[in-house]
Amino acid sequence: MDCIVIDWYYSGMTDAHSIPLFNLFGETTVFPDVVHCERVLDRAGLHDWVIAPHRHSQMSQVFFIEHGSAHVVLDGAEERLASGRYLYVPPQIVHGFEFTRGTEGTVLSFPSPVVSRLGPKAAALTSWLATPQRGVVTADVAQLIAALAATYTSTGTFRAQRLVALAHVLLATLAEDDLADAAFEDPQAGRQIQRLDALIAKHLTDGWAGRDYAAALHVTTGHLNRIVRMATGRSLTAHLETATMTEACRLIAFTRLPLAEVGYRLGYSDPSYFSRRFRSRMGEAPSAYRKRVVGSEL
């Protein structure tokens, strides 16, 4: 099973028009294990307790703060991660941290193929795994994190299988705690949402419309719209525009691309129309968003 780590990750990008893309922060080599576990000190201590904004294309992470705290930047928004709480970050989300010195905690990194094998599929679980989550670490979750950390440093013929199994239990437990009152969802709908979100990530800059995604999934546009609405509460059009504007926020906040170029990359040939749509969705113009999030120097 260890061989499945090969070729899961893209190399890092470092030019000013790209958001840094890492396997683990600061690393662009192949992912080192089937699951990765490290203490906050192991990584943050090497960078003066500051982890600059970056993202991962094929990896989800869980950050657990045992003692101390962290100032978190998550897709341009700021929040505080306090002691006894966790933060779950899915792929493509830009995230950065400024930890208080001496912060103790655990960082767990899960390659996307590991996360995607978590089943049986349910739309509620798929939706939960696709967006950032945060919450209180219960005693059961703390025990699971400790078991993962212990297994990570262990040896044995089936170590990789045990790591994957524990990863699945942890993620399912976090989601179940958070969605305790959620109704049962159709497993087939969950698989379709998962495939849709993968296609969106792949074709975000290709100008695909709802009908293109429906065709790729071999369903009608109306049927795909019903699946998306059931899983997210949004229409297919709103779901696609949310993904587009989320990426726009990342590019505006974390690159030096001209605003018009950001629009072009995301399929808007008319800069003024892109600006209007951004303002409509985000409540402010792209230029105002950039100034507010990163300052006037860009």
Side-chain angles (χ1 to χ4, degrees):
M1 187 161 180
D2 289 352
C3 64
I4 62 175
V5 301
I6 297 174
D7 293 333
W8 275 355
Y9 300 94
Y10 303 113
S11 63
M13 300 186 297
T14 58
D15 67 84
H17 287 174
S18 299
I19 300 168
L21 185 64
F22 297 128
N23 303 327
L24 297 171
F25 180 75
E27 298 183 9
T28 59
T29 56
V30 69
F31 192 77
D33 208 336
V34 65
V35 165
H36 187 75
C37 175
E38 64 184 21
R39 303 292 294 173
V40 168
L41 174 64
D42 296 341
R43 188 77 47 176
L46 297 176
H47 299 277
D48 198 28
W49 299 96
V50 175
I51 302 297
H54 63 286
R55 61 178 169 182
H56 311 283
S57 65
Q58 294 285 301
M59 183 171 73
S60 299
Q61 292 183 299
V62 171
F63 300 85
F64 167 40
I65 301 295
E66 297 172 41
H67 302 288
S69 64
H71 176 79
V72 183
V73 175
L74 204 65
D75 266 352
E78 300 183 13
E79 60 184 83
R80 181 173 178 267
L81 184 60
S83 175
R85 298 185 65 84
Y86 77 87
L87 172 67
Y88 167 78
V89 181
Q92 298 298 338
I93 300 297
V94 178
H95 55 288
F97 301 87
E98 183 174 347
F99 295 94
T100 57
R101 290 187 175 276
T103 294
E104 296 182 7
T106 303
V107 182
L108 299 167
S109 302
F110 307 113
S112 292
V114 169
V115 177
S116 67
R117 292 178 185 178
L118 175 55
K121 301 298 182 185
L125 178 59
T126 298
S127 180
W128 191 94
L129 290 168
T131 56
Q133 310 290 342
R134 66 279 290 163
V136 175
V137 172
T138 64
D140 288 343
V141 167
Q143 289 179 354
L144 284 170
I145 292 174
L148 258 167
T151 303
Y152 181 76
T153 59
S154 70
T155 59
T157 304
F158 303 116
R159 170 183 172 277
Q161 286 85 347
R162 288 185 289 132
L163 280 172
V164 171
L166 284 168
H168 286 179
V169 175
L170 173 63
L171 292 172
T173 300
L174 290 174
E176 187 169 54
D177 288 348
D178 199 34
L179 302 171
D181 298 325
F184 173 79
E185 299 283 2
D186 178 14
Q188 179 61 31
R191 287 191 288 272
Q192 290 287 61
I193 286 292
Q194 189 174 46
R195 293 175 61 198
L196 171 63
D197 287 341
L199 285 170
I200 291 172
K202 183 178 180 180
H203 296 287
L204 195 60
T205 61
D206 294 339
W208 277 30
R211 62 180 178 276
D212 300 304
Y213 290 103
L217 293 170
H218 307 291
V219 298
T220 66
T221 304
H223 181 63
L224 184 58
N225 186 65
R226 287 191 293 273
I227 289 174
V228 171
R229 191 175 293 279
M230 179 183 69
T232 70
R234 299 189 297 262
S235 68
L236 174 59
T237 299
H239 187 66
L240 295 176
E241 188 167 58
T242 296
T244 299
M245 290 305 167
T246 297
E247 181 67 9
C249 287
R250 294 171 185 151
L251 292 173
I252 291 170
F254 299 107
T255 76
R256 294 180 179 272
L257 284 170
L259 297 176
E261 178 62 22
V262 172
Y264 290 140
R265 287 197 178 194
L266 297 174
Y268 292 90
S269 57
D270 182 353
S272 60
Y273 180 67
F274 166 66
S275 182
R276 289 197 301 273
R277 292 309 307 158
F278 188 92
R279 182 191 292 273
S280 175
R281 296 289 298 184
M282 308 307 299
E284 59 186 329
S287 56
Y289 177 80
R290 172 170 277 175
K291 183 176 181 179
R292 178 174 61 82
V293 174
V294 299
S296 60
E297 71 272 12
L298 292 181

